[in-house]
Amino acid sequence: MGEMEQLRKEAESLKDDITAARKAVQDLTLQDHVAGTAVVGRVQLKTRKTLRGHLAKIYAMHWGTDSKLCVSASQDGKLIVWDSYSTNKVHAIPLKSSWVMTCSYAPSGNMVACGGLDNMCSIYNLKAKDGNVKVMRELAAHTGYLSCCRFLSDSEIITSSGDCTCLLWDIETGTEKTVFAGHLGDCMSLGVAPDFNTFISGACDFTAKLWDIRDGQCRQTFGGHESDINAIGFFPNGNAVITGSDDASCKLYDLRSDQELITFQDSSIMCGVTSLAPSLSGRLLLAGYDDFNCNIWDTLKAERVGVLSGHDNRVSCIGVTPDGMACCTGSWDSFLKIWN
Amino acid sequence: MTIRNVRDHGQRYRPRMACLKKVETVVLEMQDPKTGVKSQTQRLVITTIPHAITGEDIVAWIANRLKIDASEAQAMGTMMVAFGYIYPLQDHKRLIIKPDTSLYRFQTPYFWPAQQWPVEDTDYAIYLAKRNIRKKGMLELYEQEEYNNLYKWMNHKWDFIVMQAKEQYRAGKERKKPDRVVFDCQERAYWVVHRPPPGTVSAMDHGLDRMVDPNLEEKKTPDYYRRIIMFTQQCIMRPRVKSSVSIGALVKYTATYKEHDPFLNSCLPSNPWLTDDITYWNLNMPNVETPTKMRVERWTFSFGELLADPRGRDDFRLFLKKEFSGENLAFWEGCEDLKWGAAETMKEKAQQIYKTFLARGAPRWINIDGKTMDITVKGLAHPHRYVLDAAQTHIYMLMKKDSYGRYLKSPVFKETQKKAAAPDAHRFSETQLEQNSKRRRPSLSPITLKQQEEEQKAKLAASGPVDITQVMSKLEKKQRK
């Protein structure tokens, strides 16, 4: 008992130390800095294309690096690669397990990955000579559902799982290289930094963690949310992190000064955030909610500057193209909409 | 074997429905006799039902209280109906708010969605049986199907169910008519929410369950504390920057890129998503001959931007060749290839890079300090993906601090800037826009584009290295003009 009491006291004092260290560098808040900046004017985006074809809830979507192709995963057991500009389906890949929860497009465009309640990450090769898309690898080591996956290159992929860990895999050998353990709740989403050296994960223990890909260490932990973190993303310059949670708020954390900068919330918004994506400049934050809408926030002033409404069920995923020209929302009503 | 009751979504505490508590606070405010929604009595043949409220009153009250516009207030009202806090008296199967004189009532707290007991199938069976007793053939088709299913798999306790149903029916008859009507409405509304008719969107559908049970308090073992201590220590050791500096950088980033953000500014000549004209994309292909002015401007934002853009990198490579320091960029590209390439070829690649750039007397020897060279050479004995990291960072910083600045002032860059395309904005008429949308063609797959690129690269490599003297004399001739 004595040992546990000592450990508890040490943990408490360290927590106080970190709070003090964070306070020490806080010589300015974001609100003070932008007090003179005007709010961005009302942003009105309209649906430009609707991608129809899925037969059940869409759980995830991801843009390819060419900003025209995107992949979406739905619980009807299909992974569809869309040419969003012409609304054609480039590939319709049938999945072994229909309980898919995430999908990802490789930066090279050669592969797509997906996973879900089967606890595995399946990698599909799109470059097959005969045009037939086949499973290239099945990465199985997680003991919980796969909530998110992101490619680093054609040979490495990072996955997050309901078993509270994230894994870095070597795709060629199909084995796990590094385990990122530390979360106390299901890891729900992850985001890779623009320089591919670090990644962030958000979990059901209400915290977000920054991990170093090389040595597997947790570099920072950010708290402050009152409920599960469902969505996470990097600010475009890679020095800040945005999280979205079931407590209906999004928070912006600064990595270099280790601070929580601002919270995006409103008393009229009660439904949880399911997904988020920043615009190219980072000035706008698009977040999808359980109340069937997406809200557009001014990142610096934390004010709502627009709404995307048009879905008939919860918005489950959102993504902004790498060139910043359009955003795509996927919903449980089985449609994907492209907005601009 | 642990049997998880699939239907019980942890109703003791609905983890994924943290919004319910917030909705409840608003609903309670709405019921306040003084400041809440105005209620009236509704006549139903001979009986009157008190406390009925109209849809338009609800929407107006929400819009006023939460300071939102009418359409958002209507959406919020629909959410409250979908959760079951308010139920419609007419058209009871459609759980939406109609902003007119349609009547609604507040649901009794007993039937609120976040109560302490799960929505059991047994209760549903009793409810359906009770309605069957009251009047045979009163069940809808989907309810009839459910009833038959429940009869099948709950057969072992069917006597109990029928007994309960009869008891509840008898107790109901003893109530006064107005109370009985109200209770029946409430109960019916409750089951529409929790056993929705087929084809409707159910607000109770919160998706897949989490693995970690939020009700379970983690046992505070020594291990738990050791973990916290480890993570906190790692966090404390991390260097911190003054928040004014990093916030300043963030704000500057958004300001710098604001002009380039298609959501905030229009793109020239026109945004393909709006006009169905792909000129913009054609002008901005990865390896286009003449880049646009906006693209060239982005190269001046940071060294990372210049390297990330293939056309920018080409321009920079040309400049470095002139300065006879092209080996730096070549080395950097070799390191990137090693980091992200296939694992099988890693050893050979590492060896190749050593021979070309690092060994004594190497043909393209790069200039790095003695310590870094030592670490790198030692690491190459057991090569792995990140073995050249230290050397790569050194060369990157060298290029960034030295060559990048000079590149931006060089004739090569100025030439590119001058030649950069600045297209005029398109002005399409309605008919032209329609034609554009008909002429939409599918995009080239990135795999095909990559193949084309590789073929081009192979052709260039075969045609021999760029003759520096030729390039320089061409530039000089142009300058003289």
Side-chain angles (χ1 to χ4, degrees):
Chain A
M1 261 305 124
E3 191 204 351
M4 205 156 91
E5 195 47 40
Q6 258 186 324
L7 285 173
R8 193 187 63 79
K9 287 215 176 103
E10 199 183 330
E12 290 293 311
S13 83
L14 278 176
K15 275 194 195 153
D16 292 334
D17 284 346
I18 225 192
T19 319
R22 284 176 174 167
K23 209 126 180 64
V25 282
Q26 191 187 31
D27 58 345
L28 190 70
T29 61
L30 180 61
Q31 288 88 328
D32 296 333
H33 198 285
V34 297
T37 326
V39 180
V40 151
R42 190 118 191 108
V43 175
Q44 268 168 331
L45 302 182
K46 296 208 186 94
T47 308
R48 301 294 168 188
K49 307 272 186 289
T50 304
L51 305 178
R52 295 163 218 274
H54 279 300
L55 303 170
K57 295 178 184 167
I58 295 175
Y59 260 80
M61 66 82 54
H62 193 216
W63 281 103
T65 42
D66 67 342
S67 300
K68 292 195 215 88
L69 296 184
C70 66
V71 63
S72 64
S74 157
Q75 297 225 321
D76 60 3
K78 283 253 160 44
L79 207 64
I80 299 185
V81 178
W82 307 84
D83 172 5
S84 50
Y85 180 62
S86 61
T87 69
N88 289 344
K89 300 179 192 45
V90 180
H91 298 283
I93 307 166
L95 304 171
K96 276 193 201 160
S97 157
S98 72
W99 298 106
V100 63
M101 291 174 75
T102 180
C103 62
S104 176
Y105 213 126
S108 63
N110 293 335
M111 303 188 241
V112 288
C114 70
L117 289 182
D118 55 358
N119 298 3
M120 289 195 308
C121 182
S122 310
I123 315 251
Y124 293 85
N125 188 351
L126 298 179
K127 216 168 123 180
K129 292 201 174 82
D130 56 355
N132 231 348
V133 177
K134 282 191 289 240
V135 182
M136 204 177 95
R137 283 282 177 281
E138 279 175 349
L139 310 174
H142 278 299
T143 51
Y145 60 82
L146 211 84
S147 52
C148 192
C149 57
R150 285 289 177 261
F151 280 95
L152 293 179
S153 65
D154 274 6
S155 28
E156 292 182 311
I157 189 171
I158 302 187
T159 56
S160 68
S161 162
D163 64 6
C164 314
T165 62
C166 299
L167 287 176
L168 170 67
W169 301 83
D170 179 343
I171 296 178
E172 286 152 61
T173 57
T175 55
E176 60 267 34
K177 280 165 63 168
T178 324
V179 183
F180 304 92
H183 275 299
L184 301 171
D186 305 20
C187 293
M188 290 315 294
S189 64
L190 66 93
V192 181
D195 64 5
F196 290 97
N197 285 335
T198 54
F199 78 93
I200 39 174
S201 62
C204 292
D205 58 1
F206 315 169
T207 63
K209 284 186 189 284
L210 174 75
W211 305 89
D212 184 317
I213 295 181
R214 310 287 164 77
D215 53 25
Q217 302 288 345
C218 166
R219 292 272 170 246
Q220 253 164 313
T221 308
F222 297 103
H225 275 296
E226 295 157 357
S227 195
D228 303 351
I229 295 181
N230 292 325
I232 200 163
F234 267 97
F235 191 82
N237 74 349
N239 286 333
V241 164
I242 314 172
T243 55
S245 161
D246 265 345
D247 64 6
S249 71
C250 296
K251 284 182 193 284
L252 177 68
Y253 297 94
D254 181 37
L255 292 180
R256 291 203 293 165
S257 63
D258 201 14
Q259 311 275 340
E260 177 187 322
L261 289 183
I262 205 166
T263 305
F264 304 93
Q265 66 189 357
D266 190 283
S267 58
S268 64
I269 303 175
M270 298 179 195
C271 286
V273 179
T274 58
S275 49
L276 56 83
S279 73
L280 183 96
S281 63
R283 188 63 198 268
L284 298 177
L285 172 68
L286 295 100
Y289 290 76
D290 281 349
D291 63 1
F292 311 179
N293 286 339
C294 283
N295 289 317
I296 308 177
W297 297 88
D298 178 336
T299 326
L300 299 180
K301 305 290 278 184
E303 283 190 30
R304 266 206 301 168
V305 293
V307 183
L308 305 177
S309 51
H311 281 295
D312 297 323
N313 205 333
R314 164 185 312 204
V315 173
S316 55
C317 47
I318 191 170
V320 171
T321 58
D323 65 3
M325 302 207 72
C327 94
C328 177
T329 53
S331 161
W332 281 9
D333 65 5
S334 77
F335 298 125
L336 290 144
K337 286 184 192 276
I338 314 273
W339 308 77
N340 184 285
Chain B
M1 173 175 85
T2 46
I3 302 170
R4 290 173 86 195
N5 187 350
V6 179
R7 281 267 174 80
D8 170 29
H9 297 296
Q11 190 161 351
R12 308 158 276 155
Y13 168 73
R14 284 182 182 274
R16 296 235 49 212
M17 304 197 83
C19 52
L20 289 178
K21 286 266 171 284
K22 298 179 195 168
V23 179
E24 269 173 37
T25 3
V26 181
V27 170
L28 283 171
E29 270 186 52
M30 284 171 80
Q31 293 183 325
D32 186 293
K34 286 191 221 119
T35 55
V37 186
K38 291 189 295 282
S39 66
Q40 45 185 229
T41 47
Q42 185 216 4
R43 298 195 63 96
L44 187 73
V45 195
I46 13 165
T47 47
T48 52
I49 300 171
H51 307 306
I53 44 184
T54 59
E56 51 191 11
D57 280 345
I58 296 174
V59 173
W61 188 93
I62 295 174
N64 188 16
R65 168 71 179 77
L66 296 174
K67 314 255 184 310
I68 49 181
D69 62 16
S71 60
E72 282 192 24
Q74 188 176 345
M76 179 156 307
T78 304
M79 178 177 75
M80 291 179 183
V81 177
F83 280 145
Y85 288 104
I86 302 175
Y87 62 92
L89 291 172
Q90 302 126 328
D91 199 6
H92 67 275
K93 276 192 287 181
R94 285 185 70 205
L95 298 178
I96 56 170
I97 277 263
K98 291 184 210 162
D100 49 22
T101 52
S102 317
L103 293 169
Y104 296 82
R105 281 197 87 239
F106 289 110
Q107 179 66 283
T108 173
Y110 180 82
F111 284 136
W112 279 0
Q115 283 304 359
Q116 299 304 308
W117 48 86
V119 183
E120 291 266 29
D121 280 327
T122 321
D123 294 327
Y124 190 44
I126 295 171
Y127 164 70
L128 290 177
K130 193 168 50 169
R131 282 183 52 199
N132 226 10
I133 294 171
R134 184 179 310 148
K135 187 170 164 199
K136 274 218 179 316
M138 204 171 122
L139 295 177
E140 306 242 355
L141 191 61
Y142 76 93
E143 287 175 325
Q144 190 69 46
E145 279 178 31
E146 288 274 344
Y147 187 64
N148 294 338
N149 282 338
L150 289 167
Y151 178 72
K152 253 187 252 166
W153 78 271
M154 280 191 154
N155 207 301
H156 54 284
K157 44 178 168 175
W158 203 252
D159 292 334
F160 165 73
I161 288 173
V162 171
M163 189 177 72
Q164 279 286 309
K166 281 190 181 150
E167 191 51 43
Q168 286 188 12
Y169 178 63
R170 194 190 56 77
K173 280 224 281 214
E174 284 172 11
R175 282 197 214 102
K176 286 192 276 200
K177 179 119 192 253
D179 291 340
R180 195 181 344 138
V181 171
V182 166
F183 180 76
D184 284 344
C185 276
Q186 289 172 339
E187 195 183 27
R188 184 182 64 177
Y190 175 75
W191 287 113
V192 169
V193 169
H194 291 280
R195 294 287 183 268
T200 51
V201 170
S202 166
M204 291 297 123
D205 181 6
H206 64 259
L208 303 161
D209 276 329
R210 301 289 150 95
M211 275 186 71
V212 168
D213 186 356
N215 298 314
L216 213 58
E217 270 286 324
E218 176 157 6
K219 269 217 188 114
K220 304 278 194 280
T221 58
D223 212 36
Y224 170 79
Y225 288 118
R226 277 201 203 94
R227 239 187 308 162
I228 295 185
I229 291 171
M230 181 176 77
F231 284 128
T232 335
Q233 276 171 340
Q234 284 173 340
C235 290
I236 289 182
M237 286 196 301
R238 192 175 157 78
R240 271 171 210 83
V241 162
K242 278 215 177 298
S243 64
S244 53
V245 171
S246 63
I247 293 177
L250 274 180
V251 176
K252 186 158 165 237
Y253 186 93
T254 60
T256 316
Y257 282 85
K258 193 157 175 230
E259 302 276 309
H260 294 256
D261 190 336
F263 288 150
L264 296 170
N265 276 330
S266 57
C267 353
L268 300 169
S270 65
N271 192 323
W273 294 104
L274 293 172
T275 59
D276 286 320
D277 179 290
I278 58 170
T279 317
Y280 177 83
W281 282 331
N282 286 337
L283 290 176
N284 283 300
M285 295 280 275
N287 286 307
V288 75
E289 178 76 36
T290 333
T292 58
K293 275 211 160 26
M294 294 291 271
R295 190 169 174 179
V296 175
E297 194 185 290
R298 270 184 85 161
W299 300 347
T300 64
F301 291 164
S302 74
F303 186 48
E305 277 284 346
L306 179 67
L307 283 188
D309 186 344
R311 182 64 185 78
R313 209 193 284 188
D314 279 345
D315 223 43
F316 188 57
R317 194 177 294 122
L318 193 62
F319 163 74
L320 287 179
K321 275 207 165 110
K322 242 189 64 181
E323 296 222 321
F324 300 104
S325 52
E327 66 274 2
N328 286 338
L329 183 60
F331 175 70
W332 185 86
E333 288 185 313
C335 292
E336 286 288 290
D337 192 30
L338 183 72
K339 260 203 299 196
W340 306 119
E344 319 160 304
T345 48
M346 222 166 58
K347 278 216 175 100
E348 302 149 29
K349 277 191 199 157
Q351 283 308 312
Q352 186 65 25
I353 293 179
Y354 176 73
K355 269 193 277 183
T356 321
F357 298 101
L358 298 168
R360 279 229 203 119
R364 305 188 81 178
W365 192 77
I366 52 161
N367 195 357
I368 50 177
D369 64 289
K371 206 168 84 176
T372 318
M373 181 65 92
D374 255 350
I375 302 170
T376 312
V377 172
K378 280 204 186 105
L380 278 169
H382 306 281
H384 58 91
R385 241 173 243 284
Y386 306 114
V387 67
L388 296 169
D389 239 16
Q392 186 184 7
T393 317
H394 183 102
I395 292 291
Y396 180 87
M397 294 311 277
L398 191 72
M399 289 196 289
K400 178 171 159 181
K401 291 198 177 132
D402 188 37
S403 318
Y404 180 54
R406 280 186 284 118
Y407 163 73
L408 290 178
K409 299 191 196 121
S410 70
V412 173
F413 179 65
K414 294 231 154 75
E415 183 73 22
T416 316
Q417 256 186 332
K418 219 170 57 169
K419 278 211 260 176
D424 295 316
H426 278 150
R427 274 194 205 90
F428 289 120
S429 64
E430 276 291 325
T431 38
Q432 277 173 320
L433 286 174
E434 272 182 46
Q435 279 176 346
N436 285 347
S437 75
K438 287 199 189 109
R439 261 190 275 134
R440 254 188 295 149
R441 287 274 164 280
S443 333
L444 276 176
S445 124
I447 299 175
T448 346
L449 280 173
K450 252 265 157 73
Q451 281 174 343
Q452 286 178 349
E453 246 183 59
E454 315 242 299
E455 282 164 17
Q456 261 210 332
K457 261 196 211 161
K459 268 198 218 148
L460 274 178
S463 69
V466 178
D467 193 347
I468 288 299
T469 47
Q470 288 255 346
V471 172
M472 288 199 67
S473 67
K474 264 195 204 158
L475 283 170
E476 273 167 21
K477 277 190 206 148
K478 283 204 178 119
Q479 278 176 347
R480 265 187 245 131
K481 279 190 193 155

